[in-house]
Amino acid sequence: RNFSASGAADRSQTAVATPAHLSQLVMRLRLVLLSRDEQLTQRRADAGEPLELDGAEAVGTLRRAAAEALALEEADVRLVDYFQERRHGALSDMSATLDGARLCDGQHVLVEHMHSGEWPEAEQAEEIDDLFGGAGAGWGAIETAAGSSSPAGSAAAAEEGGPLDGSGGVPEHSGKVGLSNLGNTCFMASMLQSLAAVAPLREYFTSGAYERELNAENRDGTQGQLARSYAALMRQMWFGPSSVVSPREFKLVLGRHAPQFLGYSQHDSHELCNFVVDALHEDVNRVRKKPYVENFEASGEPDGTIAKQVLQRHRQREDSQVSDLVQGLFKSQVICPVCEKVSITMDPYKSISLPLGAAGMRVVHATLRRADGSMRRLSLSLERSGTIEALLSEAADQVGLPRGRLVACEVFEHKVHKFFTPSHELERLYNGDFIFLYDVGEDVDFCAPSAAGDA
């Protein structure tokens, strides 16, 4: 039932409305026919080429062209957005532009045909979804301006699911927009919003400056496709008329060059960020032919000299505005235990993973056992990033004892399980642990036994 020919050309711009710098030149749309008349569906299954229309054309023009291509009466045809073989909602506003309806170059449009006064049933839609590999949303799942999906029984019901043109009102100020959820794409939205907040990087793409350095011949990149799509999306987010933007074309281009991000599964946001930044760098890499460059071997030079030499060699292969803005150097130092030779290397990176320490305070419950055998329950409010040293100091202040008289341990099954060194991190204590503090009667410089297994 796929009425199309594959291989649609890549689009270079994305649009949300009428601004000239956002307008889509040519849009190739592939038709999928769905009708109660099975013979009609089969007869149209392998016919025709993708429709080519200007992005500024109206949805009504698309409906007329689709009806003509399928030799159907226009009044018996309605259209459904079928982006990535998933039903997103009815294209019911005949005056909206194709760009305004958020259609993308190369995507499918589902053409529903009314036969004998009846529209196709939900079962037929599920059958055609299965034909495309069960891409996922089910019958009538609608991408709304808020980014959610809601079920509907038909395309008519889909019309009630929410606006499909990205209209969420005018942004309060430039860049204050939300990104539609295309189906488990929160990871992508968070990454795009983070990159959009990097002003120098964003301005490089929104101003069009990147076009002068576009490297479409670089086999390590995406032939400039991701850079163009990213630039168009940034312009939508910062200069478009709507407070809700759909990153649909960006996702389409992304999946074309990174199949691991196809479909509607959850992915790691940092992994996606690494791929996008690397791909953008390669798309605007100023180096057209990468030479072989030997690594720099440091021999006692100052760090500044080593860094300068490493970057100078690195830029002979990797030189772009992206790397100029988001690149640093990792320094590694190794000392030979035999000859004591020091080896220093510096490696370029564009992003790093850092642990996020839990902010704020936590309460640790502990039991104090004094030297005379009496016991007292303590509730200690401590920094989450603190150590046992802080716990002992807070306990000593509460009970009026010298800090040096206290040692800490964990009790498990009525036995001392392990002693804690003062440097032991509080983050490694669990709420259910039984923490005991012992007053040893005199100041001690305590060192936990090695058998305790405390790191």
Side-chain angles (χ1 to χ4, degrees):
R1 300 177 182 180
N2 183 0
F3 175 80
S4 68
S6 59
D10 302 319
R11 63 184 288 191
S12 60
Q13 299 286 332
T14 306
V16 292
T18 56
H21 70 285
L22 293 178
S23 112
Q24 166 71 41
L25 298 179
V26 177
M27 190 178 292
R28 296 167 177 82
L29 301 172
R30 296 181 269 182
L31 304 180
V32 178
L33 177 63
L34 184 63
S35 173
R36 280 179 172 269
D37 185 347
E38 292 295 331
Q39 291 184 351
L40 176 64
T41 299
Q42 294 298 329
R43 192 162 63 248
R44 301 284 188 261
D46 57 355
E49 296 290 331
L51 296 181
E52 294 191 10
L53 295 170
D54 191 285
E57 294 281 1
V59 171
T61 303
L62 171 61
R63 187 171 77 161
R64 284 193 296 273
E68 181 180 345
L70 295 168
L72 300 173
E73 292 293 331
E74 183 180 346
D76 296 337
V77 165
R78 66 185 182 190
L79 306 178
V80 178
D81 184 352
Y82 207 51
F83 175 70
Q84 289 196 339
E85 293 73 61
R86 176 177 176 175
R87 298 173 59 88
H88 292 277
L91 299 171
S92 56
D93 185 354
M94 295 295 107
S95 63
T97 66
L98 302 184
D99 284 334
R102 300 188 298 181
L103 298 182
C104 297
D105 179 33
Q107 78 160 77
H108 288 92
V109 173
L110 186 63
V111 180
E112 293 191 337
H113 172 243
M114 181 171 63
H115 177 65
S116 299
E118 295 183 348
W119 294 103
E121 295 179 339
E123 289 75 10
Q124 289 178 276
E126 292 171 355
E127 182 180 341
I128 203 166
D129 285 343
D130 292 340
L131 186 65
F132 280 98
W139 170 258
I142 310 152
E143 177 194 329
T144 66
S148 63
S149 293
S150 56
S154 65
E159 296 174 14
E160 303 170 1
L164 299 171
D165 58 357
S167 59
V170 178
E172 291 184 16
H173 56 76
S174 181
K176 189 175 182 180
V177 301
L179 294 174
S180 296
N181 188 344
L182 305 179
N184 286 330
T185 54
C186 299
F187 73 97
M188 184 176 72
S190 63
M191 184 278 300
L192 288 171
Q193 293 282 20
S194 297
L195 286 184
V198 182
L201 181 64
R202 178 187 72 243
E203 291 165 3
Y204 172 66
F205 284 96
T206 57
S207 67
Y210 80 98
E211 294 177 356
R212 296 190 296 270
E213 299 177 324
L214 205 60
N215 188 349
E217 291 76 35
N218 186 359
R219 290 183 295 179
D220 294 332
T222 67
Q223 294 76 54
Q225 295 173 20
L226 193 71
R228 292 190 183 101
S229 178
Y230 179 79
L233 179 60
M234 290 299 105
R235 287 196 291 267
Q236 284 182 284
M237 294 175 65
W238 287 84
F239 304 111
S242 175
S243 62
V244 177
V245 174
S246 175
R248 297 174 65 177
E249 154 136 19
F250 179 83
K251 186 177 187 300
L252 192 69
V253 175
L254 176 68
R256 193 177 298 154
H257 296 281
Q260 65 269 33
F261 296 115
L262 278 172
Y264 300 93
S265 300
Q266 294 280 4
H267 295 279
D268 181 74
S269 188
H270 185 226
E271 179 187 353
L272 175 62
C273 182
N274 285 339
F275 175 84
V276 170
V277 171
D278 285 340
L280 292 177
H281 156 71
E282 295 293 357
D283 277 356
V284 294
N285 196 342
R286 302 178 185 113
V287 179
R288 268 27 186 187
K289 186 175 181 181
K290 297 183 180 182
Y292 171 76
V293 180
E294 292 186 355
N295 292 331
F296 176 72
E297 294 288 342
S299 56
E301 295 88 346
D303 285 353
T305 302
I306 298 174
K308 184 177 180 179
Q309 288 292 330
V310 170
L311 283 177
Q312 187 178 42
R313 294 171 183 236
H314 179 70
R315 283 175 176 155
Q316 294 180 42
R317 291 176 55 86
E318 313 294 344
D319 182 21
S320 73
Q321 182 70 7
V322 176
S323 61
D324 289 347
L325 293 171
V326 290
Q327 184 169 266
L329 294 173
F330 273 126
K331 176 187 173 182
S332 302
Q333 178 175 297
V334 178
I335 302 176
C336 177
V338 179
C339 66
E340 298 185 348
K341 178 182 177 180
V342 179
S343 174
I344 296 177
T345 59
M346 291 192 180
D347 301 302
Y349 68 90
K350 293 187 180 68
S351 69
I352 55 176
S353 297
L354 295 174
L356 296 177
M361 309 289 287
R362 65 172 292 189
V363 175
V364 177
H365 299 288
T367 301
L368 170 68
R369 182 181 177 88
R370 296 179 180 270
D372 60 7
S374 62
M375 302 178 71
R376 177 178 172 182
R377 185 70 168 166
L378 303 177
S379 294
L380 308 171
S381 181
L382 304 165
E383 292 278 353
R384 289 182 179 273
S385 58
T387 62
I388 290 293
E389 177 64 36
L391 182 149
L392 294 173
S393 297
E394 177 66 20
D397 290 343
Q398 275 197 27
V399 299
L401 289 174
R403 151 68 188 90
R405 289 175 53 172
L406 299 179
V407 295
C409 67
E410 179 186 352
V411 172
F412 181 69
E413 292 185 348
H414 309 291
K415 297 179 182 179
V416 173
H417 177 60
K418 65 178 178 181
F419 288 94
F420 296 116
T421 61
S423 62
H424 188 94
E425 298 171 347
L426 295 181
E427 289 181 341
R428 297 169 60 189
L429 298 184
Y430 297 97
N431 290 333
D433 291 346
F434 291 99
I435 308 301
F436 273 71
L437 309 179
Y438 283 90
D439 174 11
V440 295
E442 59 183 17
D443 288 358
V444 293
D445 184 11
F446 181 75
C447 180
S450 58
D454 184 37

